[in-house]
Amino acid sequence: QVQLVESGGGSVQAGGSLRLSCAVSGSPYNADYMGWFRQAPGKEREGVAAIDSGGSTTYADSVNGRFTISKDNAKTTLYLQMNSLKPEDTAMYYCAADRVDWWLLPTYKYWGQGIQVTVSS
């Protein structure tokens, strides 16, 4: 089992920055692969960024160059640094974990409760 708790969301103006954190507890083996997802009202959940156990990363085209995913050395916290935020980045953001390499597919086994990010123009 893995428990995930997001923090760091909030409201920011366009062009601003936020850093999301996801505290990871439970079996580290089940969190070898982790990702950030988001879901806006009326839209499907989409993958934003993912990272594997070796530190390799991948990003959605819409955030590439603006967002950075990372993990601390103890692998107990997942981060998403979001820069140059746009109104279209407004969504509920979720972290996810699994021992399978899903990358940006929303098929991870473990999910956090989500945290709201609102970007105003």
Side-chain angles (χ1 to χ4, degrees):
Q1 289 291 328
V2 173
Q3 293 77 42
L4 305 171
V5 179
E6 302 95 340
S7 62
S11 298
V12 65
Q13 289 191 327
S17 298
L18 283 174
R19 188 174 81 156
L20 302 183
S21 299
C22 175
V24 183
S25 60
S27 172
Y29 173 69
N30 288 323
D32 276 347
Y33 301 93
M34 298 194 71
W36 286 99
F37 291 77
R38 66 186 181 187
Q39 188 167 18
K43 295 188 177 182
E44 293 185 353
R45 189 169 296 189
E46 64 171 345
V48 173
I51 187 167
D52 72 6
S53 57
S56 295
T57 59
T58 190
Y59 297 91
D61 289 344
S62 59
V63 306
N64 198 21
R66 299 188 297 123
F67 290 10
T68 303
I69 188 172
S70 62
K71 291 191 291 189
D72 67 350
N73 289 336
K75 299 181 181 180
T76 57
T77 308
L78 180 72
Y79 301 101
L80 184 68
Q81 178 67 43
M82 304 185 294
N83 298 328
S84 302
L85 283 161
K86 304 175 180 180
E88 51 263 44
D89 294 318
T90 295
M92 187 73 78
Y93 282 72
Y94 301 86
C95 66
D98 206 328
R99 60 181 182 179
V100 177
D101 184 1
W102 296 114
W103 288 115
L104 297 181
L105 294 175
T107 46
Y108 288 70
K109 182 174 183 179
Y110 302 101
W111 292 85
Q113 292 299 307
I115 194 162
Q116 180 67 36
V117 171
T118 302
V119 184
S120 58
S121 58

